[in-house]
Amino acid sequence: MKEGESEGSKNFEDGWLKAAESIRLEDYTYDLPDEKIAKYPLENRDQSKLLIYKSGEIAHRRFTDLPENLPSKALLVFNDTKVIPARAYFKKETGAVIEILLLHPELPTRVINDAMLVRHSCVWECMIGNKKRWKLADKLTTNIEINGQQVCLSVHYEDYDQNLVRLTWDGDFVFLDIVKALGEIPLPPYLNRETEARDSETYQTVYAHHDGAVAAPTAGLHFTQDVFKKLESKGVKKSFLTLHVGAGTFQPIKVSSVTEHRMHSEQVVFSKPLINDLLENLETIVPVGTTSLRSLESLYWFGVKLFRRETTEFFIEKLYPYPFKEEDLPSSSEALHSISAFMEDHNLDHIIGETEIFIFPGYKFRLCQGLVTNFHQPGSTLILLVAALTGQDWKRIYAEAFEDNYRFLSYGDSSLLWRKDLSSI
């Protein structure tokens, strides 16, 4: 045992770890034929099907019925990130085409909102296609047009092994100008088709605001102004956070022990009004999308770190939530009040953190009572999250969606899932 560690604590930690390591990935997979994957969205966003899971029962509706299936006291929390055209192609003199997918800024700042406003030069971690044809010493250049002005953009390696790429351009343009003129929207690989012009609109939520995501928070694609009006009439409140979704959301689990899966860190921004909204509506918080859920649960665990005086750094490691005994943790209200006090003490109107939290069966939800989400890839981290929320009923949910010809994945249909352990809603 570690110094200062009791036998009871050691047994408890061994217990949760053994339970986590016993999770078999094959128990969270299913056969997803290509024809079930929605390659394109419906013409009317809010006409998708809506599966409702509540108290072990399953019902089928249209997404326009969402407001009437939420309690009036509910708080919907949305991720207002905006997908940037993060995929770009460069042609070498040899004719080889190099694909660069922006993942995360590194220099001069790692804060994504600020990175969009950088001028002249920056460094990003990238995913590089055809890397074997792009050598360390090669500099790639291209000309782009911005507001009628020709701009020369060059890219070269800052760090070959870490896939860090420096982008340099002339003219007094911010990086977001460069990205919009250069790149294309990076569709999920499982759509298995080229990006089309209309994807720049359909692969964005109607409330997208902060540029920086590589992938859309697709649960929000179904919302329209008409749905928002119905929610307002019902008395359902809404609030926003920002998590810039990374390409790691598409990364399949390839290890036998799911706890060994590498969770990519994602940057999330919370405002003071959001914290206040959460404190005022703790009974029925419903995130829209798995990104919003992961963000909210991560927020609780940052509150835990503040409450326990562990650190003021907002970084939630992937397995941080699991070893705790219940009696050692603050309530949701106490955790949020710790964050509110921290923001007051430091005169902050928002906080920026990073999370790699991994939610799988055995996780106890701290802030979220339900979830609006699409239907996810088999054997993915998102299926494990759904199973954590609904228990083994996730299999019934997906089986009924199959039988009722639901459309799957990013451009597919929707669901409203309530936590299996809720006694009332």
Side-chain angles (χ1 to χ4, degrees):
M1 289 187 294
K2 298 176 184 177
E3 185 177 352
E5 183 179 47
S6 70
E7 184 175 350
S9 296
K10 181 66 167 59
N11 290 339
F12 178 79
E13 182 171 344
D14 287 347
W16 79 258
L17 189 58
K18 286 178 181 177
E21 290 176 343
S22 69
I23 296 174
R24 300 184 305 169
L25 188 59
E26 58 265 31
D27 292 335
Y28 298 90
T29 189
Y30 64 94
D31 182 35
L32 179 61
D34 188 65
E35 61 267 21
K36 289 287 188 181
I37 300 174
K39 300 299 179 71
Y40 294 89
L42 296 177
E43 184 174 347
N44 297 317
R45 293 171 179 252
D46 57 14
Q47 291 303 305
S48 64
K49 293 180 178 181
L50 176 69
L51 182 149
I52 299 173
Y53 170 82
K54 180 179 179 182
S55 302
E57 301 296 324
I58 296 173
H60 302 279
R61 301 286 187 269
R62 289 285 173 188
F63 195 80
T64 49
D65 300 324
L66 177 68
E68 66 189 57
N69 286 281
L70 289 168
S72 58
K73 61 183 179 180
L75 172 67
L76 288 180
V77 181
F78 298 84
N79 180 5
D80 64 3
T81 188
K82 189 172 186 179
V83 183
I84 59 174
R87 175 177 284 124
Y89 298 92
F90 295 83
K91 191 171 184 178
K92 296 183 62 179
E93 293 180 358
T94 60
V97 176
I98 309 299
E99 176 188 343
I100 294 178
L101 177 63
L102 300 170
L103 296 181
H104 197 285
E106 292 294 334
L107 293 171
T109 175
R110 298 190 80 250
V111 178
I112 295 177
N113 291 348
D114 295 342
M116 292 292 110
L117 302 179
V118 168
R119 299 178 188 272
H120 307 304
S121 183
C122 58
V123 175
W124 279 65
E125 178 189 356
C126 299
M127 188 179 297
I128 300 171
N130 207 14
K131 183 177 179 178
K132 63 183 179 181
R133 303 294 295 276
W134 186 21
K135 305 304 180 185
L136 176 60
D138 293 347
K139 178 181 287 188
L140 308 178
T141 60
T142 189
N143 289 315
I144 56 178
E145 184 176 312
I146 304 176
N147 299 330
Q149 181 176 334
Q150 291 293 313
V151 177
C152 180
L153 171 70
S154 66
V155 298
H156 65 270
Y157 284 110
E158 184 85 358
D159 187 316
Y160 183 86
D161 294 329
Q162 299 299 317
N163 285 345
L164 299 184
V165 174
R166 179 170 290 278
L167 303 96
T168 306
W169 60 96
D170 54 18
D172 195 33
F173 298 101
V174 298
F175 185 59
L176 183 58
D177 295 328
I178 301 299
V179 170
K180 288 183 175 180
L182 174 70
E184 68 176 29
I185 294 291
L187 289 182
Y190 48 65
L191 292 187
N192 197 28
R193 68 171 174 84
E194 298 294 324
T195 301
E196 300 177 11
R198 59 178 170 168
D199 289 310
S200 62
E201 178 181 351
T202 59
Y203 196 58
Q204 299 279 16
T205 63
V206 297
Y207 50 84
H209 183 65
H210 295 289
D211 294 277
V214 173
T218 55
L221 294 180
H222 308 280
F223 284 85
T224 62
Q225 294 307 325
D226 285 342
V227 173
F228 279 126
K229 288 177 182 177
K230 290 181 180 179
L231 289 167
E232 186 176 0
S233 297
K234 178 72 180 287
V236 174
K237 302 178 180 67
K238 64 180 186 292
S239 197
F240 297 89
L241 55 80
T242 306
L243 181 144
H244 293 302
V245 191
T249 191
F250 303 126
Q251 184 181 17
I253 300 175
K254 297 181 178 179
V255 291
S256 56
S257 175
V258 298
T259 57
E260 295 176 4
H261 175 71
R262 181 191 174 195
M263 294 291 289
H264 285 78
S265 177
E266 294 172 302
Q267 194 171 102
V268 61
V269 183
F270 303 95
S271 68
K272 190 64 184 295
L274 169 71
I275 306 299
N276 293 336
D277 286 343
L278 295 172
L279 280 167
E280 292 171 3
N281 299 276
L282 279 172
E283 291 184 3
T284 317
I285 297 171
V286 181
V288 175
T290 56
T291 60
S292 295
L293 185 148
R294 293 178 68 248
S295 299
L296 291 175
E297 293 298 310
S298 297
L299 182 67
Y300 167 81
W301 291 107
F302 176 56
V304 170
K305 290 190 174 188
L306 294 176
F307 184 86
R308 291 166 56 89
R309 299 185 179 181
E310 291 181 17
T311 180
T312 59
E313 179 188 6
F314 193 148
F315 179 77
I316 308 303
E317 302 84 351
K318 72 174 184 178
L319 299 179
Y320 177 79
Y322 292 94
F324 286 99
K325 290 183 177 180
E326 196 64 29
E327 59 266 28
D328 296 332
L329 291 172
S331 67
S332 299
S333 177
E334 289 172 325
L336 290 174
H337 276 295
S338 295
I339 296 169
S340 182
F342 172 77
M343 295 179 76
E344 290 287 344
D345 292 344
H346 294 81
N347 196 28
L348 300 174
D349 58 9
H350 68 275
I351 48 175
I352 300 175
E354 296 205 4
T355 183
E356 56 181 32
I357 191 171
F358 191 2
I359 296 176
F360 49 77
Y363 179 84
K364 180 175 180 180
F365 291 88
R366 304 293 171 169
L367 290 180
C368 303
Q369 284 79 38
L371 172 66
V372 176
T373 190
N374 288 11
F375 293 87
H376 305 291
Q377 288 177 286
S380 65
T381 59
L382 303 183
I383 283 287
L384 290 170
L385 185 152
V386 170
L389 191 79
T390 62
Q392 285 302 306
D393 279 352
W394 81 266
K395 295 180 179 179
R396 286 201 299 118
I397 292 166
Y398 273 64
E400 286 216 19
F402 257 79
E403 291 174 11
D404 213 57
N405 293 318
Y406 276 62
R407 304 161 75 245
F408 279 60
L409 307 186
S410 295
Y411 274 143
D413 292 315
S414 185
S415 65
L416 170 61
L417 310 176
W418 295 101
R419 262 174 37 199
K420 187 176 177 62
D421 61 339
L422 288 182
S423 57
S424 62
I425 301 171

